[in-house]
Amino acid sequence: MSKIYVFTQFGGPEYQELRERPVPRPGPGELLVEVRAAGVNPADWKIRAGAFGTRRTLPVGMGLEVAGVVAAVGDGGGGFAAGDAVIAGVAGGNGGFAEHTLVKAAGAVAKPPEVSFTEAATLPVAGTTAYDLIQHVELVAGQTVVVLGAGGGVGLMVAQLATAREAHVIGVASEAKRELVESAGAIFVRSGDGFPDRVRELAPGGVHLVVDLVGGDVLRAAAPLATDPARVVSAADPGVGELGGAGRRRNPEALAKVTEAVRRGLVAPYVTATYPLERAGEALAAVETGHAAGKIVVVVGRPVSPPR
Ligand SMILES: NC(=O)c1ccc[n+]([C@@H]2O[C@H](COP(=O)([O-])OP(=O)(O)OC[C@H]3O[C@@H](n4cnc5c(N)ncnc54)[C@H](OP(=O)(O)O)[C@@H]3O)[C@@H](O)[C@H]2O)c1
């Protein structure tokens, strides 16, 4: 048997629980992965809340991104073998907060030894999102990038990737995240009333890319900062199109690219807290506040660090 954290009904966190099930079998093109770490994302609780529809078969395994070790390979398993360390998004209908999960071999990448399982587990969702967002326009060295929600899981990686491209990065976040944002290479700007004016003071000529991870009024206030409305990209608000901007465009190479960036030290996922599988609910609650700092990771079968 194998443990998995699920929700049993669409709604609040009271429907989450740890269950046991038989170890799943990998189908064609799938890998059975012994999970070592799984990143926690806002999408985890949004799926549970029904924000993306309520048509999934219950119970639903929670957790979308994992790093672990291949335990078995389905037919056509993409060149992977048992014992390989891999990084992947979970296959549809599976959950990553689990002792075992299934992933699509075609979407998995080998985990470099230099990258820890905990860090690797932040890359299939948050890391690829950051990579895709920064690709929205061709950035020239010296151009200015504003990141809204710069102290969160995706925002910190966006700031680092933009810094690596020699952009001037302005990170908008709450005061508590000042040091975190600055350590990602960005100039800190306090969020809240008047933040666009504070950005304008630093970038009087306009901003070459606005990356939004907050949405709503924050996005609407920031969009006019861009030199061109098409230079606004949001992972948080589907309404960005009405402003002339666009949502994330997925690049199938993103996981390999961002993993390589981490291996080379250009991006360091900021894992600020880890929780054991039995406490996955606390990890989810920390992200559900909407004010997480960096990434929160559920660690399976390994020692964990207390939240900072
Ligand atoms: N489309 C996709 O494929 C995709 C993929 C990944 C994520 N997303 C979405 O992108 C968003 C961010 O994801 P994430 O993983 O980075 O979330 P996260 O780790 O929870 O970070 C969100 C950040 O937003 C900040 N924030 C909240 N209100 C703010 C405000 N008024 N001004 C400035 N910052 C504010 C919070 O920090 P403060 O405490 O400083 O406010 C927090 O650090 C979520 O909506 C998520 O669902 C979409």
Side-chain angles (χ1 to χ4, degrees):
M1 297 294 275
S2 174
K3 290 183 183 141
I4 181 165
Y5 201 75
V6 302
F7 66 84
T8 56
Q9 288 189 48
F10 289 96
E14 65 274 21
Y15 298 123
Q16 296 170 181
E17 63 183 51
L18 194 62
R19 285 199 169 180
E20 294 230 333
R21 61 164 180 183
V23 175
R25 284 168 179 256
E30 290 182 338
L31 307 173
L32 173 67
V33 174
E34 213 177 86
V35 179
R36 295 290 173 81
V40 185
N41 290 285
D44 297 322
W45 69 261
K46 291 180 185 178
I47 292 170
R48 186 209 65 224
F52 304 131
T54 53
R55 296 173 81 92
R56 293 162 202 251
T57 308
L58 297 166
V60 177
M62 301 186 76
L64 299 169
E65 54 180 357
V66 298
V69 176
V70 175
V73 180
D75 290 342
F80 290 102
D84 289 348
V86 291
I87 314 173
V90 302
N94 289 273
F97 307 150
E99 290 177 326
H100 297 89
T101 195
L102 298 174
V103 308
K104 295 274 183 215
V109 303
K111 185 188 80 62
E114 302 92 331
V115 181
S116 71
F117 282 104
T118 304
E119 287 187 320
T122 70
L123 301 179
V125 175
T128 61
T129 304
Y131 181 85
D132 288 345
L133 294 174
I134 206 69
Q135 301 284 95
H136 182 69
V137 292
E138 206 160 311
L139 278 176
V140 174
Q143 289 188 327
T144 303
V145 176
V146 165
V147 187
L148 309 171
V154 178
L156 283 166
M157 286 198 253
V158 170
Q160 292 176 88
L161 285 166
T163 301
R165 291 188 184 193
E166 298 177 43
H168 293 298
V169 186
I170 298 172
V172 181
S174 58
E175 186 64 41
K177 295 187 172 69
R178 176 188 286 270
E179 276 181 32
L180 201 56
V181 169
E182 288 177 348
S183 68
I187 301 165
F188 171 84
V189 163
R190 184 170 44 82
S191 54
D193 284 351
F195 83 85
D197 292 335
R198 295 191 279 280
V199 172
R200 255 181 222 107
E201 274 175 32
L202 294 167
V207 169
H208 302 95
L209 179 62
V210 174
V211 179
D212 168 54
L213 301 158
V214 180
D217 292 346
V218 172
L219 168 62
R220 276 152 191 80
L225 293 167
T227 52
D228 176 335
R231 288 178 168 266
V232 179
V233 66
S234 176
D237 194 332
V240 64
E242 295 155 22
L243 304 169
R248 169 190 185 187
R249 276 190 290 269
R250 285 175 191 269
N251 176 341
E253 298 291 305
L255 182 55
K257 297 274 192 194
V258 77
T259 300
E260 178 59 12
V262 175
R263 193 191 67 75
R264 290 172 57 201
L266 298 174
V267 177
Y270 285 69
V271 178
T272 56
T274 59
Y275 292 81
L277 180 57
E278 290 71 20
R279 290 173 54 202
E282 289 171 57
L284 283 156
V287 171
E288 196 163 347
T289 63
H291 296 286
K295 283 293 292 183
I296 290 175
V297 172
V298 170
V299 178
V300 184
R302 289 160 67 87
V304 295
S305 68
R308 273 187 276 152

